[in-house]
Amino acid sequence: MTAKLPVDAAQAIRSYLRIADRILPGGIIACGVTGSIALGAYRPGRSDIDLVAVIAEDWRTRPDLIRRLRLLHLSQAPRLTVGAVRGRGVSACCNTVFIAESEVSRPVTEIRPIASHTGEIFDAHGAFDVNPVIWKELVDGGITVRGRPIAAWDLDAQPEALQPWIRTNLREYWIPLATQLHERPPQDPKAVLRRLLTSPRGLTASTVEWCVLGPARMHHTLSTGEIIGKDEAGRHVLNAFPQHAPITEVALAKVRGARIPSAPSREQWRGLTASAMEDMITASLS
């Protein structure tokens, strides 16, 4: 492990890789850390631990690979449970995307992920985080925790694809999400975030955080080319969209583990969040 890793994250990653080595002996030959740790925005006990794991080629064709990766994901259950009980949410654990050794140097938009797990969700067919944004994080600040240094992975983050990919993500994910805040469609039992958006009890601070700071990060990257963490994204909103300061302060308080402001009232969160999202998305796509 490297000294750049926060102590609790280093411990969690060591435990995760030890379990991986029992479940897939010799399977994970390289591993790097992205996300908030790579961005210098990690908050102990609150932030996710995001990993990119490289699977040895001789494991790729094994019929039991996906089953074993599911078992590795299930090994995170105790950490998920503790995180939920302590109010950190179900994603306060190692979230991992798995790619084959032979795929590492391919352009990121052409990589065929083996599988991934994020929080309580296991995807046996893909990995959203194999994209130009995450690969830029990996190239610029990724931390090697196993195998060759990331600089020697010969990654192709496709910088020319970064802005088009973000604009597509805004259109296909964030605009529909903002629309759902206004329309409150029927609940889909398979869509966890949609249940949060449509709950009659109103939005949670975690949902405000996600919905406000996600588009803020996208807007900043389109404006500057740089990837930022959630706290910096909140500060970006305060500077670039000061009219949305009240709901942004709610999002920042959640990120920082601080007391949630009493104003605006929770009844106002839905409308204020949708308005902030729409303004940031419009500015990003204009």
Side-chain angles (χ1 to χ4, degrees):
M1 293 289 176
T2 169
K4 294 180 181 179
L5 284 174
V7 173
D8 65 326
Q11 292 172 343
I13 294 169
R14 275 195 296 267
S15 174
Y16 179 82
L17 290 177
R18 278 197 301 267
I19 295 169
D21 289 341
R22 292 198 296 269
I23 297 174
L24 298 92
I28 296 180
I29 59 172
C31 188
V33 184
T34 65
S36 58
I37 294 177
L39 295 170
Y42 181 78
R43 291 181 176 272
R46 304 189 64 83
S47 297
D48 297 335
I49 301 167
D50 299 308
L51 305 176
V52 175
V54 179
I55 299 294
E57 206 61 29
D58 59 350
W59 269 92
R60 188 178 188 184
T61 56
R62 287 187 53 157
D64 60 342
L65 175 58
I66 296 300
R67 179 179 65 81
R68 288 173 182 264
L69 292 177
R70 286 184 186 276
L71 289 174
L72 178 58
H73 174 231
L74 290 174
S75 76
Q76 293 286 279
R79 184 174 290 273
L80 290 168
T81 302
V82 170
V85 168
R86 294 180 179 176
R88 297 199 306 257
V90 296
S91 294
C93 63
C94 290
N95 299 324
T96 310
V97 300
F98 303 96
I99 60 175
E101 183 180 5
S102 59
E103 297 271 323
V104 173
S105 61
R106 290 171 61 86
V108 63
T109 58
E110 297 178 16
I111 291 175
R112 297 162 295 179
I114 294 172
S116 63
H117 63 78
T118 303
E120 79 283 15
I121 298 171
F122 181 87
D123 185 348
H125 305 289
F128 174 79
D129 280 356
V130 179
N131 64 58
V133 171
I134 302 303
W135 252 230
K136 178 174 172 56
E137 291 179 2
L138 200 58
V139 169
D140 291 351
I143 300 173
T144 306
V145 293
R146 173 170 291 185
R148 293 180 300 162
I150 290 171
W153 287 18
D154 195 24
L155 295 173
D156 183 355
Q158 292 183 275
E160 74 283 356
L162 179 65
Q163 292 204 3
W165 185 89
I166 289 175
R167 291 191 176 95
T168 298
N169 183 247
L170 286 167
R171 294 188 184 98
E172 294 182 355
Y173 179 78
W174 293 103
I175 287 177
L177 207 56
T179 301
Q180 290 175 30
L181 282 174
H182 280 308
E183 297 179 357
R184 299 180 67 165
Q187 294 187 25
D188 178 352
K190 296 182 180 179
V192 175
L193 186 55
R194 182 170 294 183
R195 293 204 304 273
L196 294 175
L197 294 178
T198 59
S199 170
R201 293 176 294 179
L203 300 188
T204 65
S206 295
T207 307
V208 171
E209 172 197 323
W210 176 260
C211 292
V212 172
L213 302 185
R217 297 177 72 185
M218 299 292 189
H219 180 270
H220 184 276
T221 300
L222 288 172
S223 301
T224 69
E226 298 302 317
I227 312 295
I228 58 174
K230 291 179 180 179
D231 194 288
E232 191 173 349
R235 298 197 300 273
H236 173 67
V237 178
L238 296 178
N239 290 327
F241 302 91
Q243 69 273 30
H244 298 299
I247 197 64
T248 303
E249 293 292 358
V250 173
L252 280 172
K254 182 61 179 176
V255 169
R256 296 166 177 170
R259 181 178 177 275
I260 303 298
S262 57
S265 67
R266 187 169 176 180
E267 289 73 22
Q268 297 175 292
W269 287 3
R270 183 185 302 276
L272 292 175
T273 298
S275 178
M277 293 176 73
E278 289 165 348
D279 282 357
M280 287 186 283
I281 292 169
T282 298
S284 296
L285 297 177
S286 62

